[in-house]
């Protein structure tokens, strides 16, 4: 295994010594170590936290629902935006403060661990005890041991070229949808993104290994799987590409629906689009990150496509996939983005009419190409003003798209309800992943996990409303 980062097991000389648990020696665990794990950021982090649960449970650790009950608190962090960092610093201080000097070990996992390891250890006020990057979770028991037994700060942020945790079956909560990481890392190096530095190079799990996990999920009652990857459609294992993986996963009995996220526009051959169009289990819903509608900005972002090529891909997808539901990601205020160039983004948004969009203000990240090459010169208030204009336009488009479904009949997968106001309401999602609030007739015996027919009766910018067809 080629190691990209130096893999010290003890603290390098330039980092403060023996500041474990805020200086108070950590008593050996009298009973099963109690762990509280908090997750930030993307679905990949949610999945990784499920892996961490399995790895530590095997070593006789116990997970507790409340932070106060824990001997060890672990934060699985995100490095995508400044806001995420500040949140973690605030949390660590709050945890120590709440303990009022009582012993607790604090460990930092995830992308911030890799990106800000030095800062996290050098900030004495944080008193971090151990750090593990996204490829080092199998070393967590050893890292915790090192910290407890040797009383030393321990860390491992090795970026692996091989680790896919293919031999670890995640500890999931019950549900209808299960997330499965089919590949890890990213080779794209979009200039604004830290992922290639915090999660390393792309590597994919064998198709048989993924199918094995899907079969276990079907046995555990899951009805839908969402295949995950930082750049999921560049999945490749020996001769198998993402299209063949989707086909194999769709053969698993008991799984009704297959979704995937997050793809890159450059990896959508017709073969893959046709699997989405023709395979009844693969949902007609694609998340297609745009980021900007202007060619100069797209080039500075190193997104490898032009505005016209992106439009061409959208046209090709809409021609091949009926009732396609498209969503996207957009960044506003990228360095040197002018008002005219932002207008290009708005005009593309109006032209494509995505069903929904995740919008972000550019946030400079330590270590990215953009942070080294481009000054973050678009004013914060300009970024705010631009994202509000973009959100207003997109909200209206989403609303009209949702209203266009009124009168239609859809098959939805009923899911655990978090959005219902009354007991004769259930929620589910269309094939296009649109949330539907269903009024259930008294006679209904339907339950979470059922696929049911509904007629859409109303819509808001956030959800569809419907009557259930018995
Ligand atoms: S494809 Fe996505 S994860 Fe990869 S560098 Fe670009 S933005 Fe980051």
């Amino acid at each position: 295994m080629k190691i990209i980062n130096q893999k010290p097991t003890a603290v390098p000389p330039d980092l403060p010594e023996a500041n474990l648990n805020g200086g108070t020696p950590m008593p050996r665990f009298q009973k099963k170590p109690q762990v509280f794990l908090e997750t930030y950021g993307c679905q990949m982090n949610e999945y990784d936290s499920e892996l961490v649960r399995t790895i530590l449970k095997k070593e006789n650790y116990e997970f507790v629902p409340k932070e106060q009950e824990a001997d060890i608190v672990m934060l699985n962090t995100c490095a995508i935006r400044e806001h995420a960092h500040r949140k973690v610093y605030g949390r660590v201080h709050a945890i120590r403060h709440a303990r009022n000097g009582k012993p607790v070990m604090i460990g930092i996992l995830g992308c911030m661990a890799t990106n800000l390891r030095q800062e996290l250890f050098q900030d004495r006020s944080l008193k971090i005890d151990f750090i593990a990057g996204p490829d080092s979770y199998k070393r967590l028991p050893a890292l915790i041991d090192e910290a407890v037994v040797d009383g030393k700060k321990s860390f491992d942020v090795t970026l692996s070229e091989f680790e896919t945790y293919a031999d670890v079956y995640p500890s999931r909560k019950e549900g209808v949808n299960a997330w499965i990481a089919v590949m890890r890392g990213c080779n794209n190096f979009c200039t604004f993104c830290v992922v290639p530095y915090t999660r390393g190079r792309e590597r994919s799990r064998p198709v048989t290994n993924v199918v094995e996990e899907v079969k276990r999920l079907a046995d555990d009652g899951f009805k839908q799987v969402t295949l995950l990857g930082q750049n999921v459609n560049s999945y490749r294992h020996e001769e198998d590409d993402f299209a063949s993986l989707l086909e194999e996963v769709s053969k698993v009995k008991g799984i009704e629906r297959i979704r995937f996220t997050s793809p890159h526009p450059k990896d959508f051959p017709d073969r893959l689009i046709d699997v989405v169009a023709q395979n009844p289990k693969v949902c007609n819903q694609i998340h297609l990150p745009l980021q900007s509608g202007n060619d100069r900005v797209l080039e500075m972002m190193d997104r490898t496509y032009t505005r016209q090529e992106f439009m061409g891909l959208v046209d090709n997808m809409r021609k091949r996939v009926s009732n396609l539901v498209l969503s996207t990601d957009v960044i506003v205020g990228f360095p040197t983005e002018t008002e005219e160039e932002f207008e290009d983004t708005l005009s593309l948004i109006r032209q494509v009419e995505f069903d929904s969009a995740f919008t972000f203000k550019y946030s400079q990240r330590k270590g990215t190409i953009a942070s080294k090459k481009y000054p973050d010169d678009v004013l914060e208030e300009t970024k705010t003003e631009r994202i509000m204009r973009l959100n207003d336009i997109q909200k209206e488009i989403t609303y009209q798209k949702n209203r266009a479904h009124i009168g239609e009949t859809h098959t939805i997968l009923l899911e655990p309800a978090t959005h219902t106001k009354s007991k004769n309401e259930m929620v589910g999602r269309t094939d296009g992943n649109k949330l539907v609030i269903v009024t259930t007739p008294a006679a209904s015996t339907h339950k979470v996990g059922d696929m049911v027919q509904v007629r859409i009766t109303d819509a808001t910018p956030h959800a569809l409303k419907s009557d259930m067809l018995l």
Side-chain angles (χ1 to χ4, degrees):
M1 173 167 24
K2 177 167 157 292
I3 305 245
I4 297 181
N5 273 335
Q6 164 67 20
K7 196 174 99 174
T9 53
V11 176
D14 61 348
L15 281 175
E17 274 286 342
N19 193 9
L20 193 59
N21 174 36
T24 326
M26 189 71 194
R28 275 188 169 285
F29 303 119
Q30 306 314 320
K31 51 183 174 40
K32 275 188 180 186
Q34 311 285 287
V35 180
F36 177 78
L37 173 56
E38 199 164 277
T39 308
Y40 297 83
C42 66
Q43 280 309 333
M44 190 61 101
N45 258 9
E46 294 289 347
Y47 183 83
D48 285 355
S49 287
E50 294 169 348
L51 292 172
V52 166
R53 285 174 199 283
T54 300
I55 291 165
L56 288 179
K57 280 182 186 167
K58 269 212 190 99
E59 301 292 325
N60 213 23
Y61 286 75
E62 201 161 60
F63 285 81
V64 291
K66 293 207 187 83
E67 167 212 313
Q68 295 77 0
E69 302 160 6
D71 306 305
I72 304 171
V73 173
M74 291 194 279
L75 307 180
N76 188 0
T77 62
C78 167
I80 285 289
R81 263 163 283 287
E82 184 54 28
H83 165 67
H85 284 188
R86 280 202 297 278
K87 238 161 108 181
V88 167
Y89 290 128
R91 257 329 256 126
V92 172
H93 288 302
I95 292 163
R96 289 259 180 244
H97 182 70
R99 283 301 165 111
N100 204 5
K102 280 213 301 313
V104 61
M105 285 183 79
I106 297 184
I108 300 292
L109 315 183
C111 293
M112 216 176 141
T114 318
N115 203 27
L116 293 178
R117 177 188 84 244
Q118 298 279 13
E119 291 84 342
L120 287 166
F121 269 151
Q122 269 160 3
D123 182 336
R124 285 175 169 270
S125 71
L126 293 173
K127 303 176 191 130
I128 301 298
D129 297 301
F130 61 89
I131 287 179
D135 292 342
S136 309
Y137 296 147
K138 287 179 181 168
R139 290 212 59 234
L140 267 174
L143 290 172
I144 296 171
D145 254 9
E146 271 165 35
V148 170
V149 178
D150 309 346
K152 286 196 173 154
K153 294 179 183 297
S154 57
F155 75 97
D156 189 336
V157 290
T158 310
L159 288 179
S160 157
E161 288 182 48
F162 305 98
E163 183 61 83
T164 61
Y165 299 103
D167 54 346
V168 181
Y169 186 71
S171 310
R172 294 182 175 87
K173 295 196 194 76
E174 255 189 44
V176 290
N177 174 61
W179 305 90
I180 307 181
V182 296
M183 49 102 58
R184 300 179 74 88
C186 186
N187 295 351
N188 288 329
F189 291 94
C190 302
T191 59
F192 53 80
C193 185
V194 286
V195 170
Y197 308 96
T198 60
R199 287 185 171 269
R201 296 294 70 67
E202 290 174 12
R203 62 234 110 119
S204 300
R205 294 167 60 183
V207 167
T208 48
N209 176 256
V210 174
V211 168
E212 221 18 70
E213 184 166 345
V214 176
K215 284 184 179 152
R216 283 182 72 175
L217 289 166
D219 295 345
D220 292 348
F222 288 90
K223 291 283 190 301
Q224 175 178 290
V225 290
T226 304
L227 308 185
L228 278 180
Q230 316 298 152
N231 182 13
V232 71
N233 54 344
S234 73
Y235 170 95
R236 175 155 294 270
H237 190 272
E238 289 157 7
E239 298 322 302
D240 295 311
D241 64 4
F242 193 56
S244 43
L245 175 67
L246 284 172
E247 296 279 36
E248 290 308 310
V249 168
S250 71
K251 294 175 184 160
V252 176
K253 288 205 173 32
I255 295 296
E256 308 270 1
R257 284 187 170 164
I258 303 167
R259 301 185 190 280
F260 57 89
T261 197
S262 191
H264 191 290
K266 74 175 182 34
D267 298 313
F268 266 110
D270 290 351
R271 199 176 111 70
L272 174 56
I273 302 173
D274 289 343
V275 170
V276 175
Q278 293 151 18
N279 187 313
K281 286 192 180 179
V282 180
C283 296
N284 291 12
Q285 171 248 328
I286 293 177
H287 181 66
L288 196 63
L290 165 72
Q291 306 302 7
S292 171
N294 172 268
D295 285 344
R296 188 185 75 87
V297 175
L298 285 169
E299 196 171 339
M300 288 175 74
M301 289 177 165
D302 199 9
R303 288 293 288 171
T304 72
Y305 52 81
T306 63
R307 176 193 173 94
Q308 194 164 356
E309 284 162 346
F310 188 90
M311 294 297 287
L313 176 59
V314 169
D315 294 347
N316 184 26
M317 284 178 169
R318 283 187 167 151
K319 219 173 36 236
R320 290 168 179 268
V321 185
S322 56
N323 304 322
L324 176 66
V325 169
L326 266 184
S327 58
T328 193
D329 294 339
V330 180
I331 294 175
V332 306
F334 189 79
T336 71
E337 180 191 66
T338 64
E339 176 55 28
E340 293 69 36
E341 290 166 341
F342 175 62
E343 276 297 338
D344 285 345
T345 297
L346 294 184
S347 69
L348 193 148
I349 291 288
R350 289 192 193 93
Q351 224 174 313
V352 171
E353 293 195 335
F354 294 97
D355 291 78
S356 62
F358 298 96
T359 60
F360 311 95
K361 291 191 276 187
Y362 173 72
S363 172
Q364 192 177 65
R365 311 307 319 127
K366 175 188 167 239
T368 61
I369 296 166
S371 69
K372 295 177 186 131
K373 283 175 79 178
Y374 312 126
D376 185 5
D377 59 0
V378 177
L379 299 175
E380 191 58 27
E381 55 266 32
T382 305
K383 291 178 185 174
T384 305
E385 185 264 338
R386 286 180 184 170
I387 205 165
M388 287 167 72
R389 280 159 60 198
L390 172 60
N391 289 345
D392 288 349
I393 292 167
Q394 183 57 50
K395 189 174 177 193
E396 184 53 28
I397 293 170
T398 300
Y399 183 44
Q400 294 312 328
K401 286 264 180 182
N402 284 355
R403 289 200 63 75
H405 293 298
I406 294 176
E408 292 176 352
T409 297
H410 283 260
T411 301
I412 66 167
L413 173 56
L414 292 174
E415 61 184 37
T418 48
H419 304 84
T420 53
K421 292 195 191 69
S422 76
K423 64 178 183 9
N424 68 338
E425 276 184 349
M426 297 182 83
V427 297
R429 287 182 184 271
T430 64
D431 181 88
N433 208 21
K434 293 198 173 177
L435 184 71
V436 183
I437 298 171
V438 193
T439 309
T440 52
S444 162
T445 55
H446 286 299
K447 58 191 183 320
V448 167
D450 287 358
M451 298 278 273
V452 297
Q453 290 269 301
V454 298
R455 181 178 41 246
I456 307 301
T457 53
D458 198 0
T460 71
H462 311 293
L464 307 179
K465 299 222 166 121
S466 79
D467 299 338
M468 187 178 282
L469 304 178
L470 286 181

